[in-house]
Amino acid sequence: MSIAGPTYLAFDIGGTKIASGFVTLPAGGAADDVADARPATSHERAIPTEASRGGDSIRERLTALCAEQLAWAADNGVEVSGIGIAAAGVPDSATGEIVSATDILPGWKGQNLYRAFAAVTDLPVHMVGDVGAHGLGEAGYGAGRGRGIVLSIGVGTGIGGAIVIDGRLFQGAHGVAGHAGHVPAALGEGFLCSCGTTRGHIEPVASGTGLRDLYNRRLEERSGGADSGGTVPAPAADGADVARRAADGEALARGVIEDSARALGECIGGMGNLIDPDVIVVSGSVVKAGPLWWDALREGFADSALPLVRPTPLVEGLLGGDAPLVGAAVAVHRSIA
Ligand SMILES: [Zn+2]
């Protein structure tokens, strides 16, 4: 039984929902001598992002949610030490401004959350990117716990990554470090990446939607051949659909899962060679695609990693959907500790 440490109010702002909850870190942080101590998350609330209403609307509803949560904390005697934010897009942790965002969040770029939160609270506020927060969570209290250099890769709707060194997020000169989806991969040539390129990035063929798109492209190519014979499967709805078809033994789906995971593994091998991490943590919906995916990922990694990097553990994340909230709490804790 661990002793409770400080409690932070955390937010995870994504494209479809804004999650919030109170995260109580164990006393002593992520120290090795309390290896089983886990953060406790309570009073979780979520509201839809309603991205199409624009960035101003998101900011206003976010700060309203913050005020509600703080009122609940005051009513229930919960002492809050600070506010941690895991934000979609590329946030500037120093100024609180969102410096870049995709078309999924119109008007999100340019929002300043530190200024917005200052209107409702005097508590210290610290913001990092959502993928960075995920990495901080896994590095502090998940699959990367106790390891010095953690490379965290998220494979879901998109692909992102984070580099955590001794408990701190490595953000790069422009806050862009860790964009693991935007590295070259021949398999991605001709597929439109979320960054705008069609020259061959890994994300459009290895994310969840990427698995679907790769499958449907091959299906189209196959059925384009005259008299292919037999029944042609319907296009896949999403990555999970492709994984299901592969588990059912469908050859086309199995080939897509294998090629996609292998290509991603090769990219991760390259990242491993560059960073030389102690552990590589892979999370997100796609890691549930099964052993076929994992085996191909590990093969691709082994093929591309240098001999000294090859034995690096490549493991599944442990925190699941709570990782960004936990990581946001870790981020603000670190910023004021
Ligand atoms: Zn890209």
Side-chain angles (χ1 to χ4, degrees), residues 176-306:
V176 179
H179 271 71
H182 307 285
V183 296
L187 187 67
E189 277 171 29
F191 287 82
L192 178 64
C193 187
S194 65
C195 70
T197 191
T198 53
R199 300 295 293 274
H201 274 179
I202 189 64
E203 183 179 88
V205 287
S207 63
T209 44
L211 282 173
R212 177 200 67 191
D213 293 346
L214 183 60
Y215 178 93
N216 289 344
R217 173 82 61 97
R218 287 184 178 180
L219 185 67
E220 213 176 278
E221 285 166 2
R222 206 177 70 168
S223 44
D227 297 324
S228 51
T231 49
V232 178
D238 51 30
D241 192 8
V242 179
R244 265 193 304 275
R245 292 174 194 213
D248 288 344
E250 190 199 283
L252 178 64
R254 290 181 67 85
V256 165
I257 295 276
E258 281 174 340
D259 292 351
S260 170
R262 171 176 279 277
L264 178 60
E266 287 171 0
C267 289
I268 296 175
M271 299 173 212
N273 293 343
L274 192 69
I275 298 161
D276 189 13
D278 289 297
V279 63
I280 300 167
V281 181
V282 190
S283 316
S285 55
V286 175
V287 305
K288 303 298 178 194
L292 187 68
W293 187 87
W294 275 101
D295 289 349
L297 185 84
R298 290 203 164 95
E299 276 170 30
F301 177 79
D303 284 349
S304 123
L306 292 167

Side-chain angles (χ1 to χ4, degrees), residues 155-167:
V155 194
T157 312
I159 294 180
I163 303 157
V164 180
I165 302 169
D166 296 330

Side-chain angles (χ1 to χ4, degrees), residues 69-81:
Q69 289 283 64
L70 290 175
W72 179 86
D75 288 347
N76 290 274
V78 176
E79 194 189 321
V80 181
S81 300

